[in-house]
Amino acid sequence: MPTTFSSPQTQPSQTIFISFPLFSSVSLCFSLSLFKIMLLKSVPSCSLLNPHVETLSPLPQPSSFSFSPLNSSAALASSSLLFSPAKKDTNFVVCASKGGANSKPLIGVVFEPFEEVKKELDLVPTVPQLSLARQKYTDECEAAINEQINVEYNVSYVYHAMFAYFDRDNVALKGIAKFFKESSEEERDHAEKFMEYQNKRGGRVRLQSIVMPLSEFDHAEKGDALYAMELALSLEKLTNEKLLNLQSVADRNKDVQLVDFVESEFLSEQVEAIKKIAEYVAQLRRVGKGHGTWHFDQMLLDEA
């Protein structure tokens, strides 16, 4: 059965006839070779190995093959892929074009590794004794945190001693004893919060010595309740001053995280505690010693 190939260089009436057996493997190979030669003449050659090649024309699908080179060239001209060089010579941006015209890239993002990550990896310590989580945390801030932990424990220790005093059987002011016990636990909780924060930032908690507090709080002129409450007010103001100093250290070292931690967790609560104890001092000064102190104690005992 004859197979017909039409050439674009000849007139439509001129035709080349090549006859081969229908099922001959030789005729099939020769026909495909001849078609490939004619197709390459009608399509510009390109290579993906050359980064300067701009146009690549793919072969049409097998279902659209025609044994006429004119038809094949028209099909290829209607759809093509463009490989445009990206920023680097080794990358390509794939574009789709129709009718040989340029179009916008389908994918215009070229992945590049983050150089910042490489820098951070160099900062990760390999020594087991060093913290892995520490970042932009100065030694001055670490030392200030340890100092604040010591302040909180010292105040808690004094409040615990006051609890023990007012809980005696010969003093028996249960409301005031309850107040100082809760105050001692609150200060100890503050110390533990600072310890947890120290560990989060990669610092080292270094506990210091605690000063032995008083065990007797009786005062001949003021009485034990007023004297103890005035001492508590001075301790709260001292704690607030230390917190402000800690905040100043954080500001000086541009440690925004530490500044936010101190403000959100302690400063507002400390102001409220100072106001509350100041009112207690004013009330105790008004009621005086004796029966008035007992009524004040009952008020504290009834508070939730």
Side-chain angles (χ1 to χ4, degrees), residues 240-259:
N240 187 64
E241 182 180 353
K242 293 295 185 179
L243 287 172
L244 294 175
N245 292 337
L246 175 59
Q247 188 182 35
S248 299
V249 172
D251 286 332
R252 185 166 58 253
N253 289 271
K254 298 181 180 181
D255 196 329
V256 181
Q257 296 177 348
L258 181 54
V259 172

Side-chain angles (χ1 to χ4, degrees), residues 2-278:
T3 303
T4 303
F5 292 89
S6 299
S7 175
Q9 286 78 14
T10 60
Q11 299 296 329
S13 59
Q14 296 178 353
T15 308
I16 301 174
F17 294 93
I18 303 176
S19 300
F20 297 98
L22 181 62
F23 298 100
S24 173
S25 61
V26 176
S27 63
L28 179 60
C29 294
F30 183 81
S31 300
L32 293 177
S33 300
L34 180 60
F35 170 72
K36 183 176 181 181
I37 294 172
M38 298 176 68
L39 182 61
L40 291 177
K41 290 182 178 181
S42 61
V43 180
S45 61
C46 64
S47 175
L48 287 178
L49 298 178
N50 186 1
H52 300 289
V53 174
E54 296 185 355
T55 305
L56 174 64
S57 299
L59 293 176
Q61 298 295 328
S63 60
S64 63
F65 272 4
S66 173
F67 288 99
S68 174
L70 289 175
N71 295 336
S72 300
S73 300
L76 291 172
S78 63
S79 177
S80 64
L81 290 178
L82 298 180
F83 285 76
S84 301
K87 295 181 179 180
K88 297 181 179 180
D89 294 340
T90 57
N91 296 323
F92 291 93
V93 179
V94 181
C95 305
S97 64
K98 190 172 183 179
N102 292 330
S103 61
K104 296 181 179 180
L106 295 177
I107 301 176
V109 178
V110 179
F111 174 77
E112 294 181 356
F114 297 101
E115 297 297 333
E116 293 81 1
V117 175
K118 296 180 180 179
K119 297 178 181 178
E120 293 296 334
L121 289 176
D122 295 336
L123 299 178
V124 177
T126 57
V127 181
Q129 291 77 13
L130 298 179
S131 170
L132 298 175
R134 185 161 187 154
Q135 183 184 25
K136 296 181 180 180
Y137 190 54
T138 63
D139 295 338
E140 187 179 8
C141 290
E142 179 181 355
I145 289 288
N146 285 328
E147 181 181 354
Q148 190 64 36
I149 292 173
N150 184 257
V151 171
E152 302 289 345
Y153 271 128
N154 271 283
V155 175
S156 175
Y157 208 27
V158 175
Y159 285 161
H160 220 175
M162 291 180 178
F163 155 72
Y165 171 82
F166 288 101
D167 192 55
R168 294 180 187 174
D169 63 298
N170 59 335
V171 178
L173 293 175
K174 298 294 184 180
I176 298 178
K178 172 190 172 187
F179 171 76
F180 284 124
K181 181 181 180 181
E182 293 175 351
S183 299
S184 176
E185 294 172 352
E186 182 179 0
E187 298 301 327
R188 188 167 65 250
D189 290 341
H190 290 174
E192 291 178 358
K193 283 185 179 181
F194 278 113
M195 294 171 72
E196 292 174 357
Y197 182 82
Q198 185 83 291
N199 289 332
K200 287 180 181 179
R201 295 297 303 275
R204 290 292 179 267
V205 176
R206 292 178 174 85
L207 298 179
Q208 305 171 20
S209 60
I210 299 177
V211 180
M212 183 180 66
L214 299 174
S215 58
E216 301 292 335
F217 297 94
D218 193 16
H219 193 276
E221 182 181 352
K222 298 179 179 180
D224 49 8
L226 177 58
Y227 176 71
M229 202 62 68
E230 288 179 347
L231 179 58
L233 180 59
S234 64
L235 290 175
E236 292 296 326
K237 289 184 177 182
L238 175 63
T239 303
N240 187 64
E241 182 180 353
K242 293 295 185 179
L243 287 172
L244 294 175
N245 292 337
L246 175 59
Q247 188 182 35
S248 299
V249 172
D251 286 332
R252 185 166 58 253
N253 289 271
K254 298 181 180 181
D255 196 329
V256 181
Q257 296 177 348
L258 181 54
V259 172
D260 293 340
F261 174 70
V262 174
E263 289 181 351
S264 60
E265 295 290 338
F266 301 101
L267 285 180
S268 59
E269 182 179 343
Q270 197 65 39
V271 172
E272 294 177 359
I274 292 175
K275 175 66 164 52
K276 181 179 181 180
I277 297 179

